[in-house]
Structure formats: structure tokens, C-alpha cells
Amino acid sequence: QVQLVESGGGSVETGGSLRLSCAASGYTTTYGCMAWFRQAPGKEREWVSKINWGGTTYYTDSVKGRFTISRDNAKNTLYLQMNSMKPEDTAMYYCAAAPYCGGLYSVRDFPYWGQGTQVTVSS
């Protein structure tokens, strides 16, 4: 059983920063790949970033250069540092996990999910 618990959401102004965290529990082999997704009101959930056990990172184009994903394997914790935030970053942010990262970018590829944390960026 894998449990993912996000924290760190909140409200910021345009240009501000937030850091999200996701604490994982369960067998470590089940979350070799960890990712962040987000879902804005009225829109589909979209992939934002992912990181494999070794620390290789991937980003969707809209957040490259602004967001940084990282993980602390000793603490079983995933992070997302969000800088230079924009109103279009407003969404519910979800942590997700899968055993491996290869080729995984869609919601259906990740079997484990957190409950989400709200991020709001005001203009």
C-alpha cells in the first residue's frame, strides 16, 4: 500500500514562489518514479514534471526554467519548487507515483495518487 500526502500549497502573487512537498510511504520499489500533475478548474489533469529514483528530471514546456522537481530518497519525499509563478499556474497540484518513469506522462500511467494541494496565483 502506497500513501502519498502533499503539503505546501497556498496563495501567492504573480512572480512569487512556493514549494510543494509529497511524503511517500510503502514499498520504495512502488515509487521509483514520482511526478507532479495539476488540474485547473474545468480542465483536464495535466502532467507537470517527473523524476526517477536516480534524479533524472523531466518538465512540461510551460514550467521549464521556473519549476524544479527534486526528491530526498532517504526521507521518501518529493518536492516541487515553483518560482516566477503566473496566474495560469493556479490549480490543484497532485503527487503521483509509479515503479518506473520510462514513457510515463499521462494520468493513467500512474497508479498511486495523493489527495492534492491547492495553489492559487493572483495577478
Side-chain angles (χ1 to χ4, degrees):
Q1 186 81 17
V2 175
Q3 186 175 18
L4 304 173
V5 180
E6 302 99 332
S7 61
S11 297
V12 296
E13 295 184 346
T14 297
S17 298
L18 279 176
R19 188 173 88 150
L20 306 183
S21 299
C22 172
S25 61
Y27 293 110
T28 57
T29 54
T30 58
Y31 46 89
C33 182
M34 299 191 77
W36 291 100
F37 284 74
R38 65 186 180 187
Q39 187 167 19
K43 295 188 176 181
E44 293 186 354
R45 193 171 299 188
E46 64 172 357
W47 171 75
V48 175
S49 180
K50 65 181 180 180
I51 183 170
N52 66 15
W53 187 263
T56 302
T57 59
Y58 308 82
Y59 299 93
T60 193
D61 286 346
S62 62
V63 307
K64 283 180 181 177
R66 301 189 300 120
F67 290 10
T68 302
I69 191 171
S70 61
R71 65 190 294 169
D72 185 332
N73 291 334
K75 296 181 179 179
N76 295 330
T77 302
L78 174 72
Y79 303 99
L80 185 68
Q81 178 67 44
M82 303 184 292
N83 298 328
S84 302
M85 297 186 71
K86 305 175 181 180
E88 51 263 43
D89 295 321
T90 295
M92 184 72 78
Y93 282 70
Y94 296 91
C95 173
Y100 302 101
C101 266
L104 305 188
Y105 295 96
S106 67
V107 171
R108 63 179 181 270
D109 292 330
F110 290 83
Y112 306 108
W113 291 86
Q115 82 288 351
T117 185
Q118 179 67 40
V119 171
T120 302
V121 184
S122 59
S123 57

